[in-house]
Amino acid sequence: LFTSFFKTLVGKTVVVELKNDLSIQGTLTSVDQYLNVKLDDITVGNLDKYAHMVSVKNCFIRGSVIRYIQLPPEHVDTTLLQDATRREEINLVHNDYKAIISTPAPSEA
């Protein structure tokens, strides 16, 4: 669900906040199933603390070091997200129900 949602934001400007408090703003160019992201045309939030990042223009960020991804509100379709969440829940419940029905009853000894 999240991967497909983030793929709809490719080409949009996002802010990625890392667990070490570094904030990076850039254009989202790719995202994978582990929520690793690639950003182009980046700018860093606190250049005084992260001066070594001034010359970096694009970066790859491992998903496990990301704290938050701030999204542009105008590009977030909450109705679409709610519908996708409902469909996923229905599929999970349906699969659980099928597993219960197909489980053989314990035999009596």
Side-chain angles (χ1 to χ4, degrees):
L1 179 65
F2 288 110
T3 304
S4 58
F5 170 69
F6 279 108
K7 286 185 179 189
T8 66
L9 296 172
V10 168
K12 307 292 189 260
T13 300
V14 297
V15 177
V16 178
E17 182 182 328
L18 307 183
K19 291 179 181 177
N20 68 353
D21 295 326
L22 173 62
S23 291
I24 303 171
Q25 179 176 326
T27 303
L28 182 66
T29 56
S30 68
V31 61
D32 66 13
Q33 71 269 22
Y34 304 106
L35 295 182
N36 299 319
V37 299
K38 183 177 178 208
L39 299 177
D40 284 343
D41 304 319
I42 68 165
T43 56
V44 177
N46 186 352
L47 277 178
D48 295 335
K49 188 173 180 181
Y50 301 101
H52 62 282
M53 295 289 293
V54 72
S55 63
V56 178
K57 298 298 174 208
N58 56 50
C59 65
F60 175 85
I61 305 171
R62 182 181 168 114
S64 64
V65 301
I66 296 174
R67 180 180 295 148
Y68 299 114
I69 299 179
Q70 298 173 20
L71 310 172
E74 63 273 10
H75 296 297
V76 178
D77 186 349
T78 54
T79 305
L80 182 65
L81 281 174
Q82 289 169 348
D83 290 344
T85 304
R86 284 188 198 104
R87 282 193 303 275
E88 188 172 290
E89 178 65 22
I90 289 169
N91 286 338
L92 289 173
V93 169
H94 178 70
N95 290 338
D96 287 347
Y97 180 72
K98 281 178 27 181
I100 291 169
I101 289 177
S102 64
T103 304
S107 57
E108 295 181 26

